[in-house]
Amino acid sequence: MTTISNEALYRPIGLTAPSGIDRAAHHRLDEAWLAAAWSHPTTRVFVVSGGQTLIDDTPDGRTELVMTPAFEAPVTETHRYFLGTDEEGVSYFALQKDSLPGRMDQSARPAGLREAGLLLSPRDAGLMVHAVALENWQRLHRFCSRCGQRTVIAAAGHIRRCPACGAEHYPRTDPAVIMLVTDEEDRALLGRQVHWPEGRFSTLAGFVEPGESIEQSVAREVFEEAGVTVGEVEYVASQPWPFPSSLMLGFMARATSSEIDVDGDEIEEARWFSREELRAAFESGEVLPPYGISIAARLIELWYGKPLPKPGNVV
C-alpha cells in the first residue's frame, strides 16, 4: 500500500480539523482533579442525547454548541464525560441525558453531526464527535460481555467496569473502508445505496472483517457490491464516523475489470463516470453529490480535480 500526495489533502476533511482540544487522558482516573475541574468557573458543559446536541446561531453569523458553566448544567449522577482541555486551560464535559434540555429564549435547536459538523468550529465539532461517540458506546454496552452483569462507568466515561467479574470494557471503533475506484480509462465508479434518494451517488464503502487486511477489505467490498475486481489500493486519509462507532479509512483503488454487477441488497445502481459525464450529470441534476460532511466528497474531489459543486451551483 502506498500513500498519495495531493494538494487537496491539506484542506480539512469534515470532523477531522485540529480542534485545539487536548483530551488529557491522564486525568480520567484522577477523581480529585476531575472534581476540581468540574467545579471550576471556566468549565463548560453541554448535553448529548440520542446523537444530538443543542446548537445556536450567534449574531456574527457563527454556529456554536450550547454550553453552560458546570453549576448551570443539568444534574446527572454518572453519565458525565470528560472531553479534555483547551490551550487556555478550560475543561469541557458532556452530559448524557434521555432528552435535551429546553431553552428559555427558544433560539437553540437540536442537531446531529451530519448537520452540525458542517456548521460548527473545529473545536466544537471535535467536542461533539467525542461526546456522540461516547454516548453511542455507553448506550450499547451497559452489560458485561463476559458474564452478563450490569457494568459501571469509570475513567470519566471512557471505561465500563464489571463489579461481578472485574472485566474492563473500552470504547470500540469499527474500521470501515471507503474508496473511489477508477478504471483504465480513469473513470470513477460511483454507486447508489437502496435507501438513498434517486440521483444520490457516492463512493463504495464497507466494514473490515475479522482477520482481513484493509487492502483485502477494499477489494472484497468493491467486488461484493459492484462485481468489479480491484488491484492497486492507495491510502488517502481517515475520518471519525460515530454512526454509531466507525472510523472511515479512505482509499483510491484501481479496477482490473469494468463490468458492473450490483448486489441489489446494498447497492441498487452503480455507474462509471468520466469527469465530463459527472459534470454534466451534476449540471442537469441527474446526479446529486455526496453529503459534504463525508470523506467520500474529498475522495471524488481528488479525482475530479476541483471541489464538487453544491446543488444549484455547478462549477
mmCIF file with all atom_site columns, all heavy atoms in Angstrom, residues 192 197-201 269 271 273 277-278 280-289:
data_model
loop_
_atom_site.group_PDB
_atom_site.id
_atom_site.type_symbol
_atom_site.label_atom_id
_atom_site.label_alt_id
_atom_site.label_comp_id
_atom_site.label_asym_id
_atom_site.label_entity_id
_atom_site.label_seq_id
_atom_site.pdbx_PDB_ins_code
_atom_site.Cartn_x
_atom_site.Cartn_y
_atom_site.Cartn_z
_atom_site.occupancy
_atom_site.B_iso_or_equiv
_atom_site.pdbx_formal_charge
_atom_site.auth_seq_id
_atom_site.auth_comp_id
_atom_site.auth_asym_id
_atom_site.auth_atom_id
_atom_site.pdbx_PDB_model_num
ATOM 1   N N   . ARG A 1 192 ? -25.220 3.943  -5.856  1.00 0.00 ? 192 ARG A N   1
ATOM 2   C CA  . ARG A 1 192 ? -26.355 4.472  -5.094  1.00 0.00 ? 192 ARG A CA  1
ATOM 3   C C   . ARG A 1 192 ? -26.924 3.376  -4.217  1.00 0.00 ? 192 ARG A C   1
ATOM 4   O O   . ARG A 1 192 ? -27.328 2.319  -4.701  1.00 0.00 ? 192 ARG A O   1
ATOM 5   C CB  . ARG A 1 192 ? -27.440 5.016  -6.035  1.00 0.00 ? 192 ARG A CB  1
ATOM 6   C CG  . ARG A 1 192 ? -28.586 5.702  -5.281  1.00 0.00 ? 192 ARG A CG  1
ATOM 7   C CD  . ARG A 1 192 ? -29.541 6.393  -6.248  1.00 0.00 ? 192 ARG A CD  1
ATOM 8   N NE  . ARG A 1 192 ? -30.276 5.430  -7.059  1.00 0.00 ? 192 ARG A NE  1
ATOM 9   C CZ  . ARG A 1 192 ? -31.387 4.807  -6.639  1.00 0.00 ? 192 ARG A CZ  1
ATOM 10  N NH1 . ARG A 1 192 ? -31.854 5.037  -5.421  1.00 0.00 ? 192 ARG A NH1 1
ATOM 11  N NH2 . ARG A 1 192 ? -32.010 3.974  -7.433  1.00 0.00 ? 192 ARG A NH2 1
ATOM 12  N N   . PRO A 1 197 ? -31.976 8.664  -1.816  1.00 0.00 ? 197 PRO A N   1
ATOM 13  C CA  . PRO A 1 197 ? -32.902 9.267  -2.779  1.00 0.00 ? 197 PRO A CA  1
ATOM 14  C C   . PRO A 1 197 ? -32.403 9.084  -4.204  1.00 0.00 ? 197 PRO A C   1
ATOM 15  O O   . PRO A 1 197 ? -31.208 8.904  -4.459  1.00 0.00 ? 197 PRO A O   1
ATOM 16  C CB  . PRO A 1 197 ? -32.926 10.738 -2.381  1.00 0.00 ? 197 PRO A CB  1
ATOM 17  C CG  . PRO A 1 197 ? -31.636 10.960 -1.651  1.00 0.00 ? 197 PRO A CG  1
ATOM 18  C CD  . PRO A 1 197 ? -31.358 9.674  -0.937  1.00 0.00 ? 197 PRO A CD  1
ATOM 19  N N   . GLU A 1 198 ? -33.308 9.127  -5.141  1.00 0.00 ? 198 GLU A N   1
ATOM 20  C CA  . GLU A 1 198 ? -32.964 8.990  -6.555  1.00 0.00 ? 198 GLU A CA  1
ATOM 21  C C   . GLU A 1 198 ? -31.930 10.049 -6.934  1.00 0.00 ? 198 GLU A C   1
ATOM 22  O O   . GLU A 1 198 ? -32.082 11.228 -6.632  1.00 0.00 ? 198 GLU A O   1
ATOM 23  C CB  . GLU A 1 198 ? -34.224 9.168  -7.414  1.00 0.00 ? 198 GLU A CB  1
ATOM 24  C CG  . GLU A 1 198 ? -34.036 8.775  -8.863  1.00 0.00 ? 198 GLU A CG  1
ATOM 25  C CD  . GLU A 1 198 ? -33.899 7.273  -9.053  1.00 0.00 ? 198 GLU A CD  1
ATOM 26  O OE1 . GLU A 1 198 ? -34.434 6.528  -8.207  1.00 0.00 ? 198 GLU A OE1 1
ATOM 27  O OE2 . GLU A 1 198 ? -33.269 6.873  -10.051 1.00 0.00 ? 198 GLU A OE2 1
ATOM 28  N N   . GLY A 1 199 ? -30.857 9.608  -7.586  1.00 0.00 ? 199 GLY A N   1
ATOM 29  C CA  . GLY A 1 199 ? -29.832 10.525 -8.051  1.00 0.00 ? 199 GLY A CA  1
ATOM 30  C C   . GLY A 1 199 ? -28.654 10.698 -7.113  1.00 0.00 ? 199 GLY A C   1
ATOM 31  O O   . GLY A 1 199 ? -27.631 11.261 -7.515  1.00 0.00 ? 199 GLY A O   1
ATOM 32  N N   . ARG A 1 200 ? -28.759 10.243 -5.862  1.00 0.00 ? 200 ARG A N   1
ATOM 33  C CA  . ARG A 1 200 ? -27.657 10.402 -4.913  1.00 0.00 ? 200 ARG A CA  1
ATOM 34  C C   . ARG A 1 200 ? -26.616 9.300  -5.155  1.00 0.00 ? 200 ARG A C   1
ATOM 35  O O   . ARG A 1 200 ? -26.880 8.124  -4.919  1.00 0.00 ? 200 ARG A O   1
ATOM 36  C CB  . ARG A 1 200 ? -28.168 10.325 -3.484  1.00 0.00 ? 200 ARG A CB  1
ATOM 37  C CG  . ARG A 1 200 ? -27.082 10.408 -2.413  1.00 0.00 ? 200 ARG A CG  1
ATOM 38  C CD  . ARG A 1 200 ? -26.552 11.815 -2.268  1.00 0.00 ? 200 ARG A CD  1
ATOM 39  N NE  . ARG A 1 200 ? -27.586 12.687 -1.725  1.00 0.00 ? 200 ARG A NE  1
ATOM 40  C CZ  . ARG A 1 200 ? -27.468 14.017 -1.645  1.00 0.00 ? 200 ARG A CZ  1
ATOM 41  N NH1 . ARG A 1 200 ? -26.391 14.616 -2.090  1.00 0.00 ? 200 ARG A NH1 1
ATOM 42  N NH2 . ARG A 1 200 ? -28.462 14.737 -1.157  1.00 0.00 ? 200 ARG A NH2 1
ATOM 43  N N   . PHE A 1 201 ? -25.454 9.673  -5.634  1.00 0.00 ? 201 PHE A N   1
ATOM 44  C CA  . PHE A 1 201 ? -24.377 8.722  -5.881  1.00 0.00 ? 201 PHE A CA  1
ATOM 45  C C   . PHE A 1 201 ? -23.171 9.074  -5.018  1.00 0.00 ? 201 PHE A C   1
ATOM 46  O O   . PHE A 1 201 ? -22.922 10.251 -4.736  1.00 0.00 ? 201 PHE A O   1
ATOM 47  C CB  . PHE A 1 201 ? -23.958 8.736  -7.358  1.00 0.00 ? 201 PHE A CB  1
ATOM 48  C CG  . PHE A 1 201 ? -24.847 7.944  -8.259  1.00 0.00 ? 201 PHE A CG  1
ATOM 49  C CD1 . PHE A 1 201 ? -26.054 8.472  -8.689  1.00 0.00 ? 201 PHE A CD1 1
ATOM 50  C CD2 . PHE A 1 201 ? -24.485 6.673  -8.678  1.00 0.00 ? 201 PHE A CD2 1
ATOM 51  C CE1 . PHE A 1 201 ? -26.891 7.748  -9.532  1.00 0.00 ? 201 PHE A CE1 1
ATOM 52  C CE2 . PHE A 1 201 ? -25.309 5.940  -9.518  1.00 0.00 ? 201 PHE A CE2 1
ATOM 53  C CZ  . PHE A 1 201 ? -26.516 6.475  -9.945  1.00 0.00 ? 201 PHE A CZ  1
ATOM 54  N N   . GLU A 1 269 ? -27.696 0.669  -7.749  1.00 0.00 ? 269 GLU A N   1
ATOM 55  C CA  . GLU A 1 269 ? -27.221 1.097  -9.059  1.00 0.00 ? 269 GLU A CA  1
ATOM 56  C C   . GLU A 1 269 ? -25.782 1.554  -8.932  1.00 0.00 ? 269 GLU A C   1
ATOM 57  O O   . GLU A 1 269 ? -25.391 2.174  -7.941  1.00 0.00 ? 269 GLU A O   1
ATOM 58  C CB  . GLU A 1 269 ? -28.090 2.245  -9.568  1.00 0.00 ? 269 GLU A CB  1
ATOM 59  C CG  . GLU A 1 269 ? -27.706 2.776  -10.933 1.00 0.00 ? 269 GLU A CG  1
ATOM 60  C CD  . GLU A 1 269 ? -28.562 3.955  -11.357 1.00 0.00 ? 269 GLU A CD  1
ATOM 61  O OE1 . GLU A 1 269 ? -29.405 4.405  -10.551 1.00 0.00 ? 269 GLU A OE1 1
ATOM 62  O OE2 . GLU A 1 269 ? -28.381 4.433  -12.494 1.00 0.00 ? 269 GLU A OE2 1
ATOM 63  N N   . ARG A 1 271 ? -22.420 3.091  -11.572 1.00 0.00 ? 271 ARG A N   1
ATOM 64  C CA  . ARG A 1 271 ? -22.083 3.564  -12.917 1.00 0.00 ? 271 ARG A CA  1
ATOM 65  C C   . ARG A 1 271 ? -20.649 4.067  -12.939 1.00 0.00 ? 271 ARG A C   1
ATOM 66  O O   . ARG A 1 271 ? -20.112 4.550  -11.941 1.00 0.00 ? 271 ARG A O   1
ATOM 67  C CB  . ARG A 1 271 ? -23.019 4.713  -13.330 1.00 0.00 ? 271 ARG A CB  1
ATOM 68  C CG  . ARG A 1 271 ? -24.462 4.326  -13.481 1.00 0.00 ? 271 ARG A CG  1
ATOM 69  C CD  . ARG A 1 271 ? -25.373 5.544  -13.541 1.00 0.00 ? 271 ARG A CD  1
ATOM 70  N NE  . ARG A 1 271 ? -24.988 6.503  -14.560 1.00 0.00 ? 271 ARG A NE  1
ATOM 71  C CZ  . ARG A 1 271 ? -25.577 7.695  -14.721 1.00 0.00 ? 271 ARG A CZ  1
ATOM 72  N NH1 . ARG A 1 271 ? -26.575 8.048  -13.925 1.00 0.00 ? 271 ARG A NH1 1
ATOM 73  N NH2 . ARG A 1 271 ? -25.176 8.508  -15.667 1.00 0.00 ? 271 ARG A NH2 1
ATOM 74  N N   . PHE A 1 273 ? -18.248 6.952  -14.400 1.00 0.00 ? 273 PHE A N   1
ATOM 75  C CA  . PHE A 1 273 ? -18.380 8.334  -14.845 1.00 0.00 ? 273 PHE A CA  1
ATOM 76  C C   . PHE A 1 273 ? -17.014 8.868  -15.278 1.00 0.00 ? 273 PHE A C   1
ATOM 77  O O   . PHE A 1 273 ? -16.029 8.743  -14.534 1.00 0.00 ? 273 PHE A O   1
ATOM 78  C CB  . PHE A 1 273 ? -18.880 9.240  -13.707 1.00 0.00 ? 273 PHE A CB  1
ATOM 79  C CG  . PHE A 1 273 ? -20.291 9.006  -13.284 1.00 0.00 ? 273 PHE A CG  1
ATOM 80  C CD1 . PHE A 1 273 ? -20.588 8.096  -12.281 1.00 0.00 ? 273 PHE A CD1 1
ATOM 81  C CD2 . PHE A 1 273 ? -21.333 9.716  -13.870 1.00 0.00 ? 273 PHE A CD2 1
ATOM 82  C CE1 . PHE A 1 273 ? -21.889 7.895  -11.861 1.00 0.00 ? 273 PHE A CE1 1
ATOM 83  C CE2 . PHE A 1 273 ? -22.647 9.524  -13.461 1.00 0.00 ? 273 PHE A CE2 1
ATOM 84  C CZ  . PHE A 1 273 ? -22.935 8.609  -12.457 1.00 0.00 ? 273 PHE A CZ  1
ATOM 85  N N   . GLU A 1 277 ? -18.759 13.462 -17.906 1.00 0.00 ? 277 GLU A N   1
ATOM 86  C CA  . GLU A 1 277 ? -20.083 12.896 -17.650 1.00 0.00 ? 277 GLU A CA  1
ATOM 87  C C   . GLU A 1 277 ? -20.583 13.274 -16.261 1.00 0.00 ? 277 GLU A C   1
ATOM 88  O O   . GLU A 1 277 ? -21.775 13.567 -16.078 1.00 0.00 ? 277 GLU A O   1
ATOM 89  C CB  . GLU A 1 277 ? -20.022 11.380 -17.806 1.00 0.00 ? 277 GLU A CB  1
ATOM 90  C CG  . GLU A 1 277 ? -19.860 10.921 -19.245 1.00 0.00 ? 277 GLU A CG  1
ATOM 91  C CD  . GLU A 1 277 ? -19.540 9.438  -19.347 1.00 0.00 ? 277 GLU A CD  1
ATOM 92  O OE1 . GLU A 1 277 ? -19.072 8.853  -18.336 1.00 0.00 ? 277 GLU A OE1 1
ATOM 93  O OE2 . GLU A 1 277 ? -19.746 8.871  -20.440 1.00 0.00 ? 277 GLU A OE2 1
ATOM 94  N N   . LEU A 1 278 ? -19.683 13.276 -15.296 1.00 0.00 ? 278 LEU A N   1
ATOM 95  C CA  . LEU A 1 278 ? -20.103 13.618 -13.943 1.00 0.00 ? 278 LEU A CA  1
ATOM 96  C C   . LEU A 1 278 ? -20.480 15.090 -13.857 1.00 0.00 ? 278 LEU A C   1
ATOM 97  O O   . LEU A 1 278 ? -21.483 15.449 -13.225 1.00 0.00 ? 278 LEU A O   1
ATOM 98  C CB  . LEU A 1 278 ? -18.994 13.295 -12.932 1.00 0.00 ? 278 LEU A CB  1
ATOM 99  C CG  . LEU A 1 278 ? -19.383 13.435 -11.460 1.00 0.00 ? 278 LEU A CG  1
ATOM 100 C CD1 . LEU A 1 278 ? -20.541 12.506 -11.115 1.00 0.00 ? 278 LEU A CD1 1
ATOM 101 C CD2 . LEU A 1 278 ? -18.199 13.180 -10.546 1.00 0.00 ? 278 LEU A CD2 1
ATOM 102 N N   . ALA A 1 280 ? -21.655 16.949 -16.280 1.00 0.00 ? 280 ALA A N   1
ATOM 103 C CA  . ALA A 1 280 ? -22.945 17.110 -16.955 1.00 0.00 ? 280 ALA A CA  1
ATOM 104 C C   . ALA A 1 280 ? -24.084 16.595 -16.086 1.00 0.00 ? 280 ALA A C   1
ATOM 105 O O   . ALA A 1 280 ? -25.171 17.186 -16.049 1.00 0.00 ? 280 ALA A O   1
ATOM 106 C CB  . ALA A 1 280 ? -22.919 16.391 -18.300 1.00 0.00 ? 280 ALA A CB  1
ATOM 107 N N   . ALA A 1 281 ? -23.841 15.490 -15.376 1.00 0.00 ? 281 ALA A N   1
ATOM 108 C CA  . ALA A 1 281 ? -24.881 14.923 -14.515 1.00 0.00 ? 281 ALA A CA  1
ATOM 109 C C   . ALA A 1 281 ? -25.160 15.840 -13.327 1.00 0.00 ? 281 ALA A C   1
ATOM 110 O O   . ALA A 1 281 ? -26.312 15.992 -12.896 1.00 0.00 ? 281 ALA A O   1
ATOM 111 C CB  . ALA A 1 281 ? -24.456 13.541 -14.026 1.00 0.00 ? 281 ALA A CB  1
ATOM 112 N N   . PHE A 1 282 ? -24.110 16.475 -12.781 1.00 0.00 ? 282 PHE A N   1
ATOM 113 C CA  . PHE A 1 282 ? -24.312 17.464 -11.728 1.00 0.00 ? 282 PHE A CA  1
ATOM 114 C C   . PHE A 1 282 ? -25.129 18.639 -12.261 1.00 0.00 ? 282 PHE A C   1
ATOM 115 O O   . PHE A 1 282 ? -26.052 19.132 -11.607 1.00 0.00 ? 282 PHE A O   1
ATOM 116 C CB  . PHE A 1 282 ? -22.967 17.985 -11.212 1.00 0.00 ? 282 PHE A CB  1
ATOM 117 C CG  . PHE A 1 282 ? -22.263 17.062 -10.257 1.00 0.00 ? 282 PHE A CG  1
ATOM 118 C CD1 . PHE A 1 282 ? -20.882 16.972 -10.255 1.00 0.00 ? 282 PHE A CD1 1
ATOM 119 C CD2 . PHE A 1 282 ? -22.970 16.300 -9.342  1.00 0.00 ? 282 PHE A CD2 1
ATOM 120 C CE1 . PHE A 1 282 ? -20.221 16.138 -9.366  1.00 0.00 ? 282 PHE A CE1 1
ATOM 121 C CE2 . PHE A 1 282 ? -22.324 15.463 -8.448  1.00 0.00 ? 282 PHE A CE2 1
ATOM 122 C CZ  . PHE A 1 282 ? -20.942 15.379 -8.467  1.00 0.00 ? 282 PHE A CZ  1
ATOM 123 N N   . GLU A 1 283 ? -24.764 19.104 -13.447 1.00 0.00 ? 283 GLU A N   1
ATOM 124 C CA  . GLU A 1 283 ? -25.391 20.287 -14.014 1.00 0.00 ? 283 GLU A CA  1
ATOM 125 C C   . GLU A 1 283 ? -26.877 20.056 -14.298 1.00 0.00 ? 283 GLU A C   1
ATOM 126 O O   . GLU A 1 283 ? -27.710 20.936 -14.067 1.00 0.00 ? 283 GLU A O   1
ATOM 127 C CB  . GLU A 1 283 ? -24.666 20.709 -15.285 1.00 0.00 ? 283 GLU A CB  1
ATOM 128 C CG  . GLU A 1 283 ? -25.144 22.019 -15.871 1.00 0.00 ? 283 GLU A CG  1
ATOM 129 C CD  . GLU A 1 283 ? -24.252 22.503 -17.002 1.00 0.00 ? 283 GLU A CD  1
ATOM 130 O OE1 . GLU A 1 283 ? -23.472 21.689 -17.527 1.00 0.00 ? 283 GLU A OE1 1
ATOM 131 O OE2 . GLU A 1 283 ? -24.335 23.682 -17.349 1.00 0.00 ? 283 GLU A OE2 1
ATOM 132 N N   . SER A 1 284 ? -27.195 18.869 -14.783 1.00 0.00 ? 284 SER A N   1
ATOM 133 C CA  . SER A 1 284 ? -28.588 18.570 -15.111 1.00 0.00 ? 284 SER A CA  1
ATOM 134 C C   . SER A 1 284 ? -29.419 18.186 -13.893 1.00 0.00 ? 284 SER A C   1
ATOM 135 O O   . SER A 1 284 ? -30.645 18.156 -13.951 1.00 0.00 ? 284 SER A O   1
ATOM 136 C CB  . SER A 1 284 ? -28.644 17.419 -16.126 1.00 0.00 ? 284 SER A CB  1
ATOM 137 O OG  . SER A 1 284 ? -28.195 16.207 -15.533 1.00 0.00 ? 284 SER A OG  1
ATOM 138 N N   . GLY A 1 285 ? -28.740 17.886 -12.786 1.00 0.00 ? 285 GLY A N   1
ATOM 139 C CA  . GLY A 1 285 ? -29.456 17.427 -11.606 1.00 0.00 ? 285 GLY A CA  1
ATOM 140 C C   . GLY A 1 285 ? -29.707 15.938 -11.594 1.00 0.00 ? 285 GLY A C   1
ATOM 141 O O   . GLY A 1 285 ? -30.333 15.414 -10.665 1.00 0.00 ? 285 GLY A O   1
ATOM 142 N N   . GLU A 1 286 ? -29.212 15.235 -12.617 1.00 0.00 ? 286 GLU A N   1
ATOM 143 C CA  . GLU A 1 286 ? -29.381 13.786 -12.666 1.00 0.00 ? 286 GLU A CA  1
ATOM 144 C C   . GLU A 1 286 ? -28.653 13.104 -11.519 1.00 0.00 ? 286 GLU A C   1
ATOM 145 O O   . GLU A 1 286 ? -29.104 12.082 -10.992 1.00 0.00 ? 286 GLU A O   1
ATOM 146 C CB  . GLU A 1 286 ? -28.861 13.263 -14.007 1.00 0.00 ? 286 GLU A CB  1
ATOM 147 C CG  . GLU A 1 286 ? -28.913 11.746 -14.150 1.00 0.00 ? 286 GLU A CG  1
ATOM 148 C CD  . GLU A 1 286 ? -28.215 11.261 -15.415 1.00 0.00 ? 286 GLU A CD  1
ATOM 149 O OE1 . GLU A 1 286 ? -27.724 12.105 -16.186 1.00 0.00 ? 286 GLU A OE1 1
ATOM 150 O OE2 . GLU A 1 286 ? -28.166 10.033 -15.608 1.00 0.00 ? 286 GLU A OE2 1
ATOM 151 N N   . VAL A 1 287 ? -27.499 13.671 -11.138 1.00 0.00 ? 287 VAL A N   1
ATOM 152 C CA  . VAL A 1 287 ? -26.699 13.119 -10.040 1.00 0.00 ? 287 VAL A CA  1
ATOM 153 C C   . VAL A 1 287 ? -26.528 14.184 -8.967  1.00 0.00 ? 287 VAL A C   1
ATOM 154 O O   . VAL A 1 287 ? -26.224 15.341 -9.266  1.00 0.00 ? 287 VAL A O   1
ATOM 155 C CB  . VAL A 1 287 ? -25.324 12.644 -10.547 1.00 0.00 ? 287 VAL A CB  1
ATOM 156 C CG1 . VAL A 1 287 ? -24.402 12.321 -9.376  1.00 0.00 ? 287 VAL A CG1 1
ATOM 157 C CG2 . VAL A 1 287 ? -25.480 11.417 -11.431 1.00 0.00 ? 287 VAL A CG2 1
ATOM 158 N N   . LEU A 1 288 ? -26.758 13.779 -7.727  1.00 0.00 ? 288 LEU A N   1
ATOM 159 C CA  . LEU A 1 288 ? -26.538 14.651 -6.586  1.00 0.00 ? 288 LEU A CA  1
ATOM 160 C C   . LEU A 1 288 ? -25.206 14.293 -5.943  1.00 0.00 ? 288 LEU A C   1
ATOM 161 O O   . LEU A 1 288 ? -24.901 13.109 -5.780  1.00 0.00 ? 288 LEU A O   1
ATOM 162 C CB  . LEU A 1 288 ? -27.661 14.480 -5.556  1.00 0.00 ? 288 LEU A CB  1
ATOM 163 C CG  . LEU A 1 288 ? -29.084 14.725 -6.062  1.00 0.00 ? 288 LEU A CG  1
ATOM 164 C CD1 . LEU A 1 288 ? -30.089 14.373 -4.965  1.00 0.00 ? 288 LEU A CD1 1
ATOM 165 C CD2 . LEU A 1 288 ? -29.247 16.165 -6.510  1.00 0.00 ? 288 LEU A CD2 1
ATOM 166 N N   . PRO A 1 289 ? -24.393 15.284 -5.568  1.00 0.00 ? 289 PRO A N   1
ATOM 167 C CA  . PRO A 1 289 ? -23.108 14.970 -4.942  1.00 0.00 ? 289 PRO A CA  1
ATOM 168 C C   . PRO A 1 289 ? -23.303 14.351 -3.568  1.00 0.00 ? 289 PRO A C   1
ATOM 169 O O   . PRO A 1 289 ? -24.356 14.524 -2.948  1.00 0.00 ? 289 PRO A O   1
ATOM 170 C CB  . PRO A 1 289 ? -22.425 16.340 -4.850  1.00 0.00 ? 289 PRO A CB  1
ATOM 171 C CG  . PRO A 1 289 ? -23.542 17.317 -4.857  1.00 0.00 ? 289 PRO A CG  1
ATOM 172 C CD  . PRO A 1 289 ? -24.624 16.731 -5.711  1.00 0.00 ? 289 PRO A CD  1
#
